[in-house]
Amino acid sequence: MLFVAARPLTLALRALTPGRTRRLLVTLAHSAPVGLLLFPPLAAVLDIGGLWLLYRTELFAATAHRPSAHGAVQVHMVAAGLLFTLAVCGLDPVRRRWSLAVRGATVLAAGTAHAVLARTLCSRQPPGTGFTAADLRHGAQWMYYRGDLVEAGLAVVMGVSWYACAGGARAHRRRRGFTDRAVDRPGRGTRRPSQDSGSRRGTMNRTARNSHDGATRQKRLVIYLNDHLAGATAGVELARRMAQEHRGSAYGETLESLRKEISQDRQALVRLLADLDVPVRHYKTYGAWLGEKAARMKPNGRLLRRSGLALLVELEAMRLGAQGKASLWRGLLAASAQDSRLDADRLEELLRRAGQQIRTMDALHARIATALLFPMTGQEPASPATAGTSSSS
C-alpha cells in the first residue's frame, strides 16, 4: 500500500526523458488489458480469490513440499495484492479511474470475503495440513485483524484522494460564485438611484440574506444528522458483534435485546432524514463502519486473543453512544414545536427508549465490572431498582 501511495507510475513518467521508453510506458498504462486488470472487482477476485483457493484447497499443503509451487504462490500473492491496491486507490494515470462508489464497494466486499475466510480458518484447517487448534486460532486472528488494518489504510488513501479532488473543485466553484456575485459600483456619469430603487434593493438584500440563512441552517442540519447516523452505524456494528460473541452466556439475552433496539433506532433516524429532506452522506457511514472494525485491534492486555476486559470497554463505548442519541432526540423534540415534520410523540418514545437503554447498560456494566475486576467478592451489585426495594422492605 505504501508503494502504491508513492505513485510509482507518476514518478517514472516524471523521471524519464521524452523518448521511446516513456511513450511505451504510457501506451502500456493506457492499454485495454491493463485497464481490464485494474477493474476493481476483477482485481479483488484475483487477490481474495487467490487466498480462498490457497487455504480452502490442497494447494497450501502442496507448497510445503514443492519449492516451485511455493515460489509461484508468493509471486501471485504479491502481484495480486499490488494490482488490487493500484485498482482501488486510483492514484496513477491509467486508462480509466473508476468512481469512488465502485472502489469503495469493492474494498468493502473484499474485506468481508477476507474476514469470512479468516473466521473459517479458526474451525477448519486447510486440507492436507496438520496444524494444532491453537496455531489455527492465532493465525486466523492475525489474518483477521491485520486485514482490517489494511482495509482502513485503503479507505484513508481513497478518502484523502477524493477530498483533494473535491476540495479543489469546490474552491474553483467558490471563486466563480464570488466573481458572479460581484456588484459594479456606479461610475462618475451614472445616474444616482432613486429612493424607490433603493427600497427595492433593500428588500432584495433582505430576501437574499434570509435565503442564505435558510441554506446555512439546512447545511448544519445535514452535517449534524449525518454525524449521528455515522455514530449509529458504528453502534449497530458494535452491538451486533457483542451479541454474537456472547450468545448463550449470562449476558447474551440482554445484549441481543440492546442490539435489536439500537438497530431500530438507526432505522428511525434514517426515516427522520428522509422526512427532513436530508441526504445521506454515505462516506461518513462507510468511515464509521471501517472505524468500528479498526477499533477491534485494541489489545486490552492481549495481542492475539480478545480479553474479557473488551466487553467492559465496548459496553462503555456503547453507553456513550446512547447518551449522544438521547441528546439528539431531546434536541429534535424541543424543535418539533417549530417544525411540523418532526413527530413529537415518536421523538418522546425514542427518548424514553434511549433512557431505558442507558439504565440497562449501567446495570450490565456493574455486573461485568464486579465479575472481571473483583471476582473474589462473589456477589454482583444490585441494580438501583433492587436496592430501592430492599431498603424499603
Side-chain angles (χ1 to χ4, degrees), residues 265 268-269 272 325-333 347 350-351 354:
D265 291 343
L269 181 57
L272 180 64
K325 180 171 55 180
S327 298
L328 168 66
W329 303 139
R330 191 177 297 110
L332 294 176
L333 180 61
L347 291 172
L350 292 171
L351 182 58

Side-chain angles (χ1 to χ4, degrees), residues 23-84:
R23 288 196 302 270
L24 180 61
L25 186 60
V26 173
T27 303
L28 181 64
H30 290 82
S31 62
V34 172
L36 180 62
L37 290 175
L38 291 179
F39 178 52
L42 179 59
V45 170
L46 293 176
D47 185 22
I48 307 301
L51 290 175
W52 276 86
L53 183 64
L54 176 64
Y55 292 115
R56 293 274 68 96
T57 65
E58 296 183 356
L59 179 60
F60 185 77
T63 58
H65 308 287
R66 299 178 182 177
S68 59
H70 183 270
V73 168
Q74 294 296 325
V75 171
H76 169 78
M77 291 300 170
V78 173
L82 181 61
L83 188 67
F84 175 70

Side-chain angles (χ1 to χ4, degrees), residues 56-387:
R56 293 274 68 96
T57 65
E58 296 183 356
L59 179 60
F60 185 77
T63 58
H65 308 287
R66 299 178 182 177
S68 59
H70 183 270
V73 168
Q74 294 296 325
V75 171
H76 169 78
M77 291 300 170
V78 173
L82 181 61
L83 188 67
F84 175 70
T85 309
L86 282 169
V88 298
C89 289
L91 298 177
D92 279 319
V94 292
R95 181 182 180 89
R96 177 177 179 180
R97 177 180 294 181
W98 294 89
S99 65
L100 181 65
V102 173
R103 292 182 286 134
T106 302
V107 171
L108 292 178
T112 302
H114 186 273
V116 171
L117 176 60
R119 288 290 188 181
T120 59
L121 288 176
C122 290
S123 58
R124 187 159 56 96
Q125 61 182 341
T129 59
F131 296 107
T132 63
D135 291 338
L136 280 175
R137 185 173 61 254
H138 292 168
Q141 287 177 346
W142 273 93
M143 182 178 180
Y144 184 85
Y145 291 114
R146 272 53 189 180
D148 289 342
L149 181 62
V150 172
E151 294 158 19
L154 291 175
V156 170
V157 172
M158 289 190 298
V160 170
S161 176
W162 171 85
Y163 185 79
C165 297
R170 188 179 299 111
H172 178 67
R173 289 195 300 268
R174 187 181 298 114
R175 287 193 299 267
R176 289 189 58 184
F178 178 78
T179 303
D180 294 340
R181 289 193 302 267
V183 179
D184 296 334
R185 295 183 179 179
R188 181 179 301 177
T190 305
R191 182 176 59 88
R192 296 181 61 86
S194 62
Q195 184 176 1
D196 293 339
S197 63
S199 61
R200 286 196 300 269
R201 184 177 302 172
T203 303
M204 293 174 61
N205 290 337
R206 285 193 297 271
T207 304
R209 283 196 299 270
N210 293 335
S211 177
H212 181 267
D213 293 341
T216 302
R217 287 193 295 268
Q218 182 66 16
K219 183 179 179 180
R220 292 171 182 168
L221 186 63
V222 170
I223 296 174
Y224 179 67
L225 293 181
N226 274 280
D227 287 347
H228 272 282
L229 182 60
T233 302
V236 169
E237 289 296 316
L238 177 60
R240 179 187 59 81
R241 180 166 57 84
M242 292 172 64
Q244 287 181 350
E245 291 182 352
H246 300 278
R247 184 175 299 166
S249 66
Y251 319 120
E253 186 176 351
T254 303
L255 291 174
E256 178 63 22
S257 176
L258 287 172
R259 181 199 67 79
K260 292 180 180 179
E261 292 184 358
I262 291 173
S263 179
Q264 293 172 0
D265 291 343
R266 185 186 183 279
Q267 294 174 3
L269 181 57
V270 171
R271 289 193 295 268
L272 180 64
L273 264 69
D275 294 338
L276 296 176
D277 297 326
V278 173
V280 176
R281 305 302 188 198
H282 293 287
Y283 66 90
K284 289 189 175 183
T285 56
Y286 293 154
W289 186 88
L290 289 174
E292 192 278 329
K293 299 295 184 293
R296 301 180 185 183
M297 293 182 291
K298 184 179 183 300
N300 291 324
R302 294 180 183 175
L303 181 61
L304 300 179
R305 292 182 297 166
R306 294 179 61 80
S307 66
L309 188 62
L311 176 60
L312 194 65
V313 175
E314 290 169 350
L315 189 62
E316 293 171 355
M318 197 158 61
R319 189 188 187 280
L320 290 175
Q323 286 181 320
K325 180 171 55 180
S327 298
L328 168 66
W329 303 139
R330 191 177 297 110
L332 294 176
L333 180 61
S336 61
Q338 301 178 1
D339 196 328
S340 60
R341 297 175 297 177
L342 296 173
D343 188 351
D345 296 335
R346 178 60 175 162
L347 291 172
E348 288 180 354
E349 178 185 354
L350 292 171
L351 182 58
R352 284 195 299 269
R353 187 160 67 184
Q356 180 60 39
Q357 291 171 7
I358 293 175
R359 290 189 291 271
T360 302
M361 293 178 194
D362 286 340
L364 185 59
H365 185 274
R367 292 175 54 194
I368 297 172
T370 301
L372 288 177
L373 305 179
F374 304 98
M376 299 302 295
T377 59
Q379 290 183 341
E380 294 182 351
S383 62
T386 306

